[in-house]
Amino acid sequence: MNLEEKIGKLKKEKKAIILAHNYQRPEIQDIADYVGDSIELSHKAMLEKDAEILVFAAVDFMAESAAILNPEKKVLLPTLGARCPMAQMLTVDEIKQAKSHYPDAPVVLYVNTLATSKAYCDICCTSANAVEVINSLNADTVLFGPDRNLAEYVAEKTGKTLIPIPEWGFCPTHLLFQPEDITVLRQQYPSATVMSHPECSSEIRRVSDFVGSTSKMCHYAKDCSAKTIIVATEEGILHRLRKENPEKRFVIAYEGAVCPNMKLTTLDRVYTALKEEKHVVKVPEKIAKNARTTLEKMFLVKS
Ligand code: 13P
Ligand code: SF4
């Protein structure tokens, strides 16, 4: 049996499913039961009533959210070091400090945060629903973290004041895109459309035809009439885009846009994780209880 077959056999035996983020390696996306963006993965994890084990081919905060929402299931993260650096950029102390300066402002946190921080916010959001979440609040000034670019994007869309916490939270991978790269590619492919993730800088967003979460980009790519699409997000998404749209051409806006943490998940590690049932992601109930409320509130917002 090859590794894929061994994984398939273990999955059946253990009633496990594999949830993979859109940035995962192609071979991981191909064995996954479901491939999606961060909100879709959390949602899917909640709907999988029969599964006893959820293998999260993704980064730490995504697996943590699944563990918070599914305390009765075993959530496995194949590689312990698969951490999103942006999620580590906001501490509970920083939230408390910001709150002391703006006591009336609600705290909205991007799901790219650790569970300890989520427990201190009013409501979570993802890049797919951030605009709707902010619009749902009866407040004109909001504390928002940790991604400053997403905060700026949402402020533009809602007309509200978003105070970034920390002041300069960012994704190191999305920071790599430069508007000049897109200018060159537009000259090379004059009829191309450009899509980008809201974690990109405002300079990139300004030269984009579409801005959205990873799955929203997948939907846009299917629906738009362009035959060539320039993509400004992590390169792993190209596998799904090409698989779903074999007749279209996808060009990454910068080839070095690789999230090293997303790439830590390999077939070998998924196999070992399933076989040895490691690494179990556990969030202490004291933290999980509050964090769960903030995630559940997010699911109630229509987007
Ligand atoms: P999505 O929710 O759009 O998949 O984004 C998650 C992420 O980490 C982007 O860098
Ligand atoms: Fe975190 Fe950026 Fe990687 Fe997304 S691409 S998981 S925000 S480091």
Side-chain angles (χ1 to χ4, degrees), residues 21 23 37-38 61-62 110 112 126-127 174 197 199 213-214:
H21 187 263
Y23 296 159
D37 67 11
S38 47
F61 73 85
M62 297 180 187
Y110 192 23
N112 298 42
T126 75
S127 54
H174 285 87
H197 196 275
E199 287 176 14
S213 77
T214 54

Side-chain angles (χ1 to χ4, degrees), residues 39 41 63 77 145 205 248 258:
I39 192 169
L41 296 184
L77 186 65
R205 293 198 311 270
K248 296 192 178 185
V258 177

Side-chain angles (χ1 to χ4, degrees), residues 23 59 61 84-86 112 171-174 199 234 259 261-262:
Y23 296 159
V59 288
F61 73 85
C84 167
M86 185 205 282
N112 298 42
C171 162
T173 302
H174 285 87
E199 287 176 14
E234 210 272 352
C259 172
N261 310 285
M262 283 283 181

Side-chain angles (χ1 to χ4, degrees), residues 21-23 37-40 110 126-132 147 150 153-154 157 174 177 194-201 204-206 208-221 230-234 237 241:
H21 187 263
N22 289 320
Y23 296 159
D37 67 11
S38 47
I39 192 169
E40 288 172 340
Y110 192 23
T126 75
S127 54
N129 61 18
V131 170
E132 290 82 0
D147 189 18
L150 181 61
Y153 169 72
V154 176
K157 291 277 174 195
H174 285 87
F177 293 105
V194 177
M195 58 184 192
S196 65
H197 196 275
E199 287 176 14
C200 291
S201 67
I204 295 295
R205 293 198 311 270
R206 236 172 269 137
S208 299
D209 300 295
F210 178 79
V211 179
S213 77
T214 54
S215 284
K216 284 196 171 172
M217 277 192 241
C218 292
H219 297 141
Y220 176 77
I230 298 165
V231 184
T233 193
E234 210 272 352
I237 199 172
L241 289 170

Side-chain angles (χ1 to χ4, degrees), residues 74-87:
K74 200 177 251 186
V75 177
L76 304 178
L77 186 65
T79 315
L80 269 185
R83 293 191 169 149
C84 167
M86 185 205 282

